Amino acid sequence: MSVTEASRNFADCINRVRYQGVTFILHRNGVPVARIVPEEKTTKRAPEAGAQPAKPPPQEKPAGKSRKTNPAREAPAPEIW
């Protein structure tokens, strides 16, 4: 399959590789340049370069005061005479 044809039908190629186990050899000007093969299910791969780790789910905030205050910054209570 030519690289141009593969790029035009990329989603279909990937689906056929994934679900039918098909292997594609991609050619540019008649010369093989790449191969798309199904991933082995038992193989554990290292994370892709630049991949971000999954973020943990956000934690729920406790009910009550929504704003934290610093007691040292609060104005002192006025004196009563």
Side-chain angles (χ1 to χ4, degrees), residues 2 7 14 18-19 33 36-37 41-42 45 52 68 70 80:
S2 73
S7 70
I14 296 301
R18 169 67 175 95
Y19 298 110
V33 294
I36 304 175
V37 297
K41 292 182 180 182
T42 58
R45 294 177 49 104
Q52 299 295 321
K68 292 183 180 181
N70 184 347
I80 299 176

Side-chain angles (χ1 to χ4, degrees), residues 11-24:
D12 182 54
C13 290
I14 296 301
N15 285 333
R16 289 174 61 189
V17 169
R18 169 67 175 95
Y19 298 110
Q20 298 175 2
V22 175
T23 297
F24 289 98

Side-chain angles (χ1 to χ4, degrees), residues 39 43-49 51:
E39 182 68 23
T43 303
K44 287 191 175 182
R45 294 177 49 104
E48 297 294 327

